[in-house]
Amino acid sequence: PRLLSQFFFADERVTRVVAEINGLNAELDPQQYLVLLNQLHLSQAHLLAILERIMEECIPMQRHSRDYLVKFPEELLVDNLGNHMLFAAECLLAGTFLEVEEADGAQLRPQARNLLCSLELVRTVLREQSLSQPGSYPEPVRAVLIQFDRLFAEFELSYVSSLVAVKSPEEIYRQQEIIVLFCETVERALRLGYLTQEMIDGYEPLLMFTIPRLAIISGLLIYPEGPLSLEQSPEQMSRVFSPFYNLLKKIRDLLWVLSVEELCLLERTLCTAE
């Protein structure tokens, strides 16, 4: 049950697969080569997962901040992101630029080298510790883990930033404003009887259409200084709504001429129309 013992055997598995790959002629047996590459991917992912648990147990208060993850596109936030970063670092160090431009890859290569060297040091230190005192983490072990955690986070942010446009602090703030708008919209809809708590608790599929529709009305009429404010330019709005700036203006102009009774009828209709 000790994490260091688990790490030892996971590390043994990675070492064994790497040795098999190095001893294989990929041109003569390409199918076996692909099988071994898949085994290496899985064994490295398992090793990193155990290492993550070790760091949570050993240096929970010294972990490098991962706040930058909120800047990443949601499609990148997958369980195997860490293993993908390790593979990317290995490719960069080998001079292979699979996903990034060559100029970006050249700038990232020193970070990749430092990260992989740090990982090798972590593997060596943890193997030695698992064979001597598998139940403790002395200061030298903690130090190499802190360094690896920092280098991994720095490389992850730099590499992903070279692939995609990460969200700016302003865009993150705008998205938070939209979340607040949706929350206030739901609260108002419950108060006016447009929605019921049972619909929300039961994840009623119709809510996927109803809440955004009501939020547009709320954002244009009830909270005009919020994220849907048309007093700002399209560039100042969240990318969720900026492409529809002119359409939102037309909707607002139509809403302005409605009476209270007509607006209420419109909102109730939006809650039922699919």
Side-chain angles (χ1 to χ4, degrees), residues 96-161:
T96 304
F97 309 105
L98 295 179
E99 300 176 310
V100 299
E101 299 293 334
E102 186 172 349
D104 293 331
Q107 291 184 346
L108 288 167
R109 188 181 293 175
Q111 282 185 286
R113 181 183 296 108
N114 291 338
L115 172 61
L116 294 176
C117 288
S118 178
L119 177 59
E120 286 303 310
L121 179 59
V122 166
R123 291 176 62 183
T124 300
V125 169
L126 291 184
R127 281 173 61 90
E128 293 175 352
Q129 187 65 23
S130 66
L131 292 172
S132 57
Q133 293 178 302
S136 63
Y137 301 101
E139 186 55 37
V141 173
R142 296 166 58 86
V144 297
L145 288 174
I146 291 173
Q147 181 188 48
F148 170 75
D149 188 47
R150 176 181 59 81
L151 292 174
F152 197 104
E154 291 175 352
F155 176 77
E156 185 174 56
L157 176 57
S158 298
Y159 187 81
V160 173
S161 297

Side-chain angles (χ1 to χ4, degrees), residues 233-261:
S233 66
E235 293 75 19
Q236 294 174 309
M237 297 181 71
S238 169
R239 286 179 289 181
V240 176
F241 292 109
S242 58
F244 310 104
Y245 185 82
N246 291 329
L247 178 59
L248 289 171
K249 273 192 170 182
K250 294 179 181 179
I251 294 174
R252 184 195 61 182
D253 294 342
L254 290 173
L255 293 174
W256 274 351
V257 301
L258 296 179
S259 66
V260 175
E261 292 77 14

